[in-house]
Amino acid sequence: MKKLALVMSAMALGLLPSTIAAQDSAAEETASAIDSQAVSIARASTEFLADLPALQTGWFVTYDEIIAGREKKTYIWSGSSALERGKGYRSTSERGDSTREYVYDGNDFTVASLDRGYYASLSISGSFDNLVTNLQENHGITLPVWEVFSVQNGGAFLDDIVEATYHGVTLVGGTAAHHLSFRSSSEDRQMWIATDPERPVPLMVVGTDPYQQGWPQYHAFFHNWNTAPKFQPDMYSFDAGDDLRRVTLPQLRAEAGGGEIETGQ
């Protein structure tokens, strides 16, 4: 009866049985292209990270810029980041010939160019996810490797995939890792996730833009994971001292080397 009702409804909408069959076939193909094992491993990793009350990791990121539709220029961005949910966030990064420090205590966010002698502060309150959204939408700032720290958005990519493949186990820096690959409407992504079921941390992520000529990529490598860190009470305090001068965010962009504060995946 349900099948008959579906067919009659389709006919009322001007859809032929052949159209329904084609749609069913496309849905089945999409479902068969998604390896449930790959999805399960990736989701277990994002849920593991989201459930941690505190975490810390070092990271090394490269990302490409396509010049004149052909030449590929690769940039390097490296550093370390720490988060204690409900208390604060701190990250130090190096990109090009400058350094950046980010400090958030749940009420105030500071970004400093330590080598140039400037810093800027913003009043922002709430969770780390709220900080990420506010900075991206209102100030054009993308925090380094923010997705691995996010509770709300860490697994958002997996909601949009149309293909998922499990490639087996390989070694990444001496650590056994599941090699996974995914395709979504916006990005192709590979992940290497530690095989330890008690500690399934990401070890490497590679993303590809399939729509831009030259197929630019980013590579994110993670090291020195600490999933139970203990931080000092002043971890999220920022002391400008006498060496740094406070400026507005646009001034910091201009005076500390120009361009955007940070960009990238």
Side-chain angles (χ1 to χ4, degrees):
M1 291 296 292
K2 289 184 178 179
K3 182 69 174 180
L4 177 60
L6 176 62
V7 172
M8 294 182 67
S9 297
M11 293 177 65
L13 292 172
L15 300 178
L16 298 175
S18 58
T19 303
I20 299 174
Q23 291 174 342
D24 288 345
S25 176
E28 290 174 0
E29 288 179 4
T30 299
S32 64
I34 297 179
D35 187 322
S36 60
Q37 183 182 10
V39 177
S40 177
I41 291 170
R43 286 204 183 279
S45 179
T46 60
E47 291 170 1
F48 170 76
L49 295 177
D51 288 341
L52 291 173
L55 61 162
Q56 185 176 29
T57 186
W59 46 270
F60 182 92
V61 173
T62 68
Y63 57 97
D64 299 331
E65 176 188 5
I66 305 300
I67 302 173
R70 178 175 178 177
E71 181 183 354
K72 183 179 291 186
K73 183 177 181 180
T74 299
Y75 296 88
I76 297 173
W77 191 15
S78 62
S80 62
S81 301
L83 173 69
E84 193 170 3
R85 303 194 193 281
K87 292 188 177 181
Y89 165 84
R90 193 176 195 110
S91 181
T92 300
S93 73
E94 297 177 350
R95 190 177 67 161
D97 62 349
S98 64
T99 62
R100 293 282 189 273
E101 186 162 347
Y102 307 89
V103 184
Y104 181 57
D105 63 3
N107 294 298
D108 295 296
F109 170 78
T110 299
V111 54
S113 179
L114 302 178
D115 52 335
R116 308 295 173 86
Y118 302 97
Y119 76 97
S121 293
L122 302 167
S123 293
I124 302 175
S125 60
S127 67
F128 175 77
D129 284 289
N130 182 67
L131 173 68
V132 169
T133 301
N134 192 307
L135 291 177
Q136 289 179 343
E137 294 182 354
N138 300 321
H139 304 285
I141 299 175
T142 298
L143 295 176
V145 296
W146 64 272
E147 280 193 31
V148 300
F149 297 95
S150 173
V151 171
Q152 298 175 359
N153 300 303
F157 171 79
L158 297 173
D159 296 332
D160 190 37
I161 61 171
V162 294
E163 286 186 15
T165 305
Y166 180 73
H167 298 284
V169 175
T170 187
L171 293 176
V172 178
T175 300
H178 297 291
H179 181 194
L180 320 171
S181 64
F182 303 92
R183 183 168 67 87
S184 74
S185 59
S186 60
E187 177 188 344
D188 296 341
R189 185 179 295 189
Q190 297 182 74
M191 299 180 184
W192 287 259
I193 296 173
T195 58
D196 183 352
E198 301 299 319
R199 199 169 179 266
V201 295
L203 302 176
M204 184 166 69
V205 178
V206 176
T208 304
D209 183 346
Y211 301 109
Q212 186 175 345
Q213 185 175 350
W215 289 10
Q217 292 185 320
Y218 67 85
H219 297 70
F221 306 87
F222 300 95
H223 59 90
N224 296 333
W225 273 104
N226 188 343
T227 55
K230 302 296 182 183
F231 300 122
Q232 296 297 319
D234 61 350
M235 176 71 172
Y236 314 110
S237 299
F238 180 78
D239 182 10
D242 299 326
D243 299 327
L244 300 181
R245 180 166 65 91
R246 183 169 183 171
V247 297
T248 65
L249 202 55
Q251 284 177 307
L252 188 143
R253 284 192 174 97
E255 297 184 54
E260 298 181 357
I261 298 296
E262 295 288 11
T263 60
Q265 296 289 342

